[in-house]
Amino acid sequence: MYGCAPCKTSHGCSAGKWHFHWKIPVRWGGSSAGGHGGAEGSLVLSSSSSSSPSPCRQAMCVGRCSRIVGPCLLALGTLSVIANILLLFPGGAWKYLVDGHITKQAKVMPGIWGGGITVLLVATHITAVGWRCAGCSDSLCSPQAFLSAVLSKLALLGSAACFILSGVGLTNGPLCLYNASEHGHGPTWGYPFLDTGSQPDTWDTCLEPAGIVAWNVALFSLLLLVSAAEMVLASIQILNGCAGCLCGFCEGKQGRPTRLD
């Protein structure tokens, strides 16, 4: 036999959910020669079309948050790599890289190894965990959530290093060819804004590469913004991964067989 009935909440009102019951008559124990002596009962299998998550799971949906944070970090990491590569080719010319006339902070390439590759690897794992744990049990996904929290700390460190080095590069100004006649020298390669600071009305101090100051300011500013956003998202994922270890991945409770005498 089977039937269905609306699921009631703790206040007695209907929650708009239905439970389906399959009632199977069974006989417990042995039977005598006359067919008597066994206790009769029934086994009811209950299945619900939907169930309410626990209060802890209602507070934060770890899987959904991972599926948002992961792709965002992938996009930011890719943007960081592109910005740092452009810094190696001022004005789109490759000869300055060959001659070694590249700003020191651009040579270190913080946008590639710090805000780029490190963040991309972590973001790939976070995205995979978010989709892989969409339907698995908490016992399988809790270790993955813990691992994503640990890896997010590496992404936080990488993006923080990119943020610091980009700030230094923006403050010191670019390496360029400028006229150092006030020091008794002709045009020379150096950092003309290292002590004086870079002001828009002094950008024409650099003779070569053309437009290097605006190039430097734009790309290092972009790296600053990207790495700052990466730090925020990595911090969110650290908290999200810790919540996943404690609360699970927003999975509903499954119906269990119940014996009715």
Side-chain angles (χ1 to χ4, degrees):
M1 299 175 61
Y2 65 90
C4 61
C7 175
K8 301 290 184 179
T9 63
S10 58
H11 301 288
C13 59
S14 175
K17 304 172 184 176
W18 293 85
H19 285 275
F20 295 88
H21 304 276
W22 289 268
K23 187 174 181 181
I24 305 173
V26 297
R27 181 179 297 276
W28 308 95
S31 58
S32 62
H36 301 283
E40 293 187 356
S42 62
L43 183 66
V44 176
L45 300 178
S46 176
S47 176
S48 175
S49 60
S50 61
S51 58
S52 300
S54 64
C56 183
R57 289 172 181 173
Q58 289 176 343
M60 177 181 289
C61 185
V62 180
R64 183 177 302 132
C65 184
S66 297
R67 292 192 292 272
I68 295 174
V69 171
C72 289
L73 285 176
L74 285 173
L76 290 173
T78 303
L79 190 59
S80 177
V81 171
I82 294 174
N84 204 141
I85 290 176
L86 291 176
L87 279 171
L88 298 176
F89 301 94
W94 58 270
K95 66 176 183 177
Y96 301 108
L97 179 61
V98 175
D99 296 337
H101 296 150
I102 300 296
T103 306
K104 289 184 294 185
Q105 287 72 31
K107 282 183 181 179
V108 176
M109 297 184 293
I112 294 179
W113 60 263
I117 295 176
T118 303
V119 172
L120 288 173
L121 292 176
V122 175
T124 302
H125 179 268
I126 293 173
T127 305
V129 168
W131 289 104
R132 186 185 307 153
C133 293
C136 69
S137 63
D138 293 342
S139 61
L140 296 177
C141 289
S142 292
Q144 296 295 327
F146 175 76
L147 181 59
S148 71
V150 173
L151 293 177
S152 296
K153 294 179 181 179
L154 296 178
L156 179 61
L157 292 176
S159 56
C162 180
F163 183 85
I164 294 173
L165 292 174
S166 298
V168 173
L170 186 62
T171 302
N172 292 346
L175 174 67
C176 66
L177 182 67
Y178 70 102
N179 193 351
S181 58
E182 65 272 12
H183 301 291
H185 302 285
T188 184
W189 288 92
Y191 295 88
F193 308 109
L194 186 59
D195 299 322
T196 61
S198 175
Q199 300 297 330
D201 56 348
T202 62
W203 284 5
D204 56 355
T205 302
C206 288
L207 305 177
E208 191 180 349
I212 182 59
V213 180
W215 186 271
N216 194 77
V217 169
L219 292 176
F220 273 125
S221 298
L222 178 61
L223 280 178
L224 276 174
L225 294 176
V226 168
S227 57
E230 288 174 342
M231 286 191 292
V232 172
L233 291 176
S235 300
I236 292 176
Q237 183 58 29
I238 292 173
L239 299 176
N240 187 47
C242 293
C245 296
L246 300 175
C247 304
F249 272 73
C250 292
E251 298 298 327
K253 300 177 182 178
Q254 298 177 353
R256 298 181 179 178
T258 305
R259 174 191 168 191
L260 299 178
D261 293 331

